[in-house]
Every structure is written in C-alpha cells, then in structure tokens.
Amino acid sequence: MNLPRPRFETAITPASAEAARRHLQAARSACRDGAEWPRIDLRAPDETLAVVGAGTMGSGIAQAAIAAGLRTVLIDERPEGLARGVQRIRDSLDHQESRGRLDPGGREAQLARLCPTTDWAAVRGADIVIEAVYENLQVKQALMAQLHRLCPAHTLLVSNTSTLDLDAIAEASGRPAQVVGMHFLTPAQVIPLLEVVRTASVDAPSLARARRLAERLGKLPVMSGNAWGFIGNRLFEPYLREVDALQLEGVSAARIDRALESWGMVIGPCRSLDMAGTDLVSQVLAERGRRYPQGPAYRRITRRLAELGRFGHKTGRGHYLYEGRCAVPDPDLARVCAEAAAELGIAPRPEVSDAEIVSRCVGPLIDEGRQVLAEGVACRSGDIDLVWVIGYGFPADRGGPMHFAGGA
C-alpha cells in the first residue's frame, strides 16, 4: 500500500503544536504501561553497577549511575583510557557545580560512589555489568563470555551496543537468559530515554531488572526488538544516507544543517555526526557492511572524513572547524566533497531548495519508521516518536516522525 507523503513545508501552528504535545504525553503513558513489560515483583535490589569501557559512552553511563546513588565500578584495562574517563566525569560535575545544578557536597558524594580500576576482578561484586566497549561483534562476544566466567550467577549482563546483533552477543555469553541490550543515547548522563532491547532468549526477570535500572537512572525505557540499529539508529541511517548524498551533490554541511534546524530539528545532522565522531560512525558502517550491501557512494563523505582524521569535536575538525565547542564552516570541506563526487562520477547539483533538503532527509526516516513498526521492532508508533523526539532531536512541536506522517 502506498501511503501518502507528508507535506514537509507545513508550518507549525499553535493547534498542531498542542496536538503534538498531547500525542507525546499519551505516548509516554502507553510506553510506561505497555503489556510488553513483565509484571514481576523484584525483591532483591541491584545496588552495585560495573561499567566496562571508560570512553565517552562508558563514562557517561557511569556518571548517570553515581548521580542515581549506585556504587559504580568503572573498568578499563588501559590506565590512560581510565584516567581520561574519570577526568571526563570530574569535568562534567565541575560544570554542573559551577552552574548551581548540584546540591552542596553533591559533587564529592557522587565521586565517592565511583570506583575506577583496571582490575577485571572488580566485576565479581556487581549486580549488573554494562559493557560499553568498541563496537565490534567479536570483541563484545568475547567480553560477554569473560564476564560470564567472572560474575556471580545473579549478575545481569547488559550490552550498550548501538547496532549489533544482540542475539549473537547473548548466545556467546554462556547465560543468554540474563543478557539484555540497553542502548543509551549520547550524552548518556543527559538524555532521559534509552532503548531496552529484548533478545530471543532473555527471561522476564532480566527485562524487569533492566527497566528498573533505567528508571532509577532517570530514563524512560522504550522496548525494542533485536534488529540492526534497533529503533533510533535504524531510522537515523537513511536520514544520514541522504545527508551524505546531498554533500556529494555539492550542498554544504552548513546549508543542510541550517535547513533542518530551521524546520525544527534540535541539531543538524552534520553537527550531530561531528559530536558522535566520524571515526566511530565509520566503525558502525564497517560492521553494517558485513550484513547489507553498501556501494562505493554509500555514506562516502562520512567515511572519507574519518579516513582524513577529521573525526569532529575530538580532533577540532570534521564537517566543521571547532573553536572550543563553536562550529565554524570549513571551506576545505567543499574540496573534499567535490573530489569524492568526481571519483564516483556524481554531477554537482547544489541548487536544491531547503524544502527539498528536508524532504530528502526526513522522508526516508519516516519510511523506515513505518517498516520498523510493520516488523514489530517497535511496539507502537508512539514509541518511535518518543525515541526520536527525546533522543534524536526531532521537533517536539511536530510530535515525532510517525505523528507528523499522520499516525502511520
């Protein structure tokens, strides 16, 4: 069935914004009360959390945990990586304190709950272990098997993978019934939503414990089935595919971002890629290429920036140049895009309108959302809207991609 395309040029009105607000409020209630969540009385509390991997995501998860009052072990086998992760947490708490967002003594109280270490044996005392390591299936499978050997029988094992096959990770663990996915969104200590990913083998108590942990961390848990990219990143991929295609046609990153931000997106896609790191995104694309065909033009600009060491914020140069946190258009990016287009035989077409930019990027996102719903990866269309409004910056006044598309 060919569904009608939404009108992307439609302006937000007070009435449509109010309808969007009511929709998101109802979606939140439906998500919390959904029949997909096991109704189990969990008697034993989970008080000690271990996070494996002290990178940006791992340190963000650890920070969310110490803020929630959990004793938190942060493990990284590289002393320098562990030191950077702890410093990242300290810097973030210093920033909160300087803004008056912490109660007196709050910074010290949170840091007292943080136990950084390079000793793997520290996981033995954890009720829940969350892995946040390199996005590679074999690496995560080996780690889960190691955690199974080290951890007590009651320990819940959690993978924070953003795209990988959770069933394959769970089966490698030796305790697949006690493995669940919890996809935290960036920054993990800030975004108040996460995806809880159910596998084919997970038992009801493990899902209930994952939900309880999410809520203790101050997150709204949205359940997702096990599919590449789950809900959020599954829809993000066709959106970003079109961003790369537009750049190959000569449309600048600044213009793409400006068009989508003017339409209501909280942050433009090129700025978002620079925040995530084109190196990490390229790793995800390499893993995706093992499952799906990706021609030479597929996401070529993102991959080329990573090849050039233009990783984004962390290197001071990606789609933009960075002066501190301030993004400045990089005139050299046009050359990079033009060279890539010439290699691929793609003719320039820089005169596209802002309306076409929005339509080309948001349209495929909506189409993928319809497919996710049809496959049962998402329980409700409202769940997709919540993930995209809270986690990916879709305009709340448009109610999320499915609401905007007419409740598809």
Side-chain angles (χ1 to χ4, degrees), residues 340-363:
E343 292 171 3
L344 295 164
I346 296 174
R349 187 176 169 264
E351 69 282 356
V352 297
S353 67
D354 284 2
E356 184 175 348
I357 290 171
V358 173
S359 176
R360 280 184 58 176
C361 295
V362 180

Side-chain angles (χ1 to χ4, degrees), residues 62-349:
Q63 185 178 340
I66 60 175
L70 288 162
R71 180 179 180 275
T72 304
V73 178
L74 180 60
I75 302 172
D76 199 305
E77 61 186 8
R78 303 162 302 132
E80 67 280 6
L82 183 64
R84 283 195 298 269
V86 172
Q87 189 59 51
R88 197 177 291 115
I89 293 171
R90 288 180 176 276
D91 290 345
S92 180
L93 292 175
D94 287 345
H95 179 72
Q96 290 183 42
E97 190 174 52
S98 69
R99 297 293 183 93
R101 296 173 183 166
L102 291 176
D103 294 332
R107 176 185 180 278
E108 288 71 26
Q110 290 191 35
L111 288 173
R113 291 191 284 270
L114 181 67
C115 308
T117 182
T118 58
D119 185 0
W120 284 98
V123 301
R124 292 194 174 111
D127 297 312
I128 300 176
V129 180
I130 302 176
E131 70 79 10
V133 300
Y134 185 76
E135 187 75 351
N136 175 274
L137 181 60
Q138 289 71 37
V139 169
K140 290 181 184 287
Q141 287 176 316
L143 174 57
M144 281 294 184
Q146 181 179 3
L147 292 173
H148 172 56
R149 292 191 296 270
L150 290 172
C151 294
H154 78 280
T155 302
L156 176 67
L157 303 182
V158 175
S159 174
N160 178 58
T161 179
S162 58
T163 58
L164 297 176
D165 183 354
L166 255 301
D167 285 324
I169 293 171
E171 288 303 318
S173 73
R175 59 173 81 177
Q178 290 170 257
V179 177
V180 66
M182 293 180 73
H183 176 217
F184 289 78
L185 302 171
T186 305
Q189 71 274 23
V190 174
I191 303 297
L193 177 144
L194 59 77
E195 295 173 291
V196 174
V197 186
R198 64 180 185 272
T199 69
S201 303
V202 68
D203 61 23
S206 295
L207 282 175
R209 289 172 72 188
R211 180 186 186 181
R212 182 175 66 181
L213 174 62
E215 291 175 341
R216 180 162 181 180
L217 296 178
K219 314 292 187 185
L220 174 68
V222 175
M223 189 178 290
S224 169
N226 179 33
W228 188 92
F230 316 125
I231 297 171
N233 283 338
R234 172 86 175 264
L235 274 66
F236 208 19
E237 185 59 27
Y239 177 75
L240 296 177
R241 179 194 68 210
E242 292 303 312
V243 171
D244 272 38
L246 283 162
Q247 289 184 93
L248 284 171
E249 294 170 17
V251 184
S252 73
R255 176 131 184 269
I256 294 168
D257 282 355
R258 186 167 59 249
L260 285 156
E261 288 171 2
S262 295
W263 188 74
M265 298 295 287
V266 171
I267 184 171
C270 298
R271 290 176 58 209
S272 180
L273 282 164
D274 281 357
M275 288 176 63
T278 59
D279 54 335
L280 299 180
V281 176
S282 289
Q283 291 170 11
V284 169
L285 290 171
E287 287 291 326
R288 185 183 185 277
R290 301 177 191 275
R291 297 180 62 180
Y292 303 105
Q294 296 180 162
Y298 193 87
R299 302 294 305 279
R300 182 63 190 128
I301 298 306
T302 298
R303 291 185 288 113
R304 182 59 181 148
L305 293 180
E307 291 165 3
L308 293 170
R310 297 170 56 137
F311 299 157
H313 283 181
K314 68 184 77 173
T315 58
R317 194 176 202 183
H319 291 83
Y320 296 90
L321 296 173
Y322 289 90
E323 299 174 357
R325 303 293 289 181
C326 181
V328 179
D330 183 356
D332 189 52
L333 181 62
R335 176 191 61 79
V336 173
C337 295
E339 288 178 353
E343 292 171 3
L344 295 164
I346 296 174
R349 187 176 169 264

Side-chain angles (χ1 to χ4, degrees), residues 33-55:
D33 298 336
E36 67 273 18
W37 296 110
R39 300 297 191 258
I40 295 176
D41 182 14
L42 295 171
R43 302 185 188 281
D46 294 314
E47 294 295 345
T48 301
L49 179 73
V51 180
V52 180

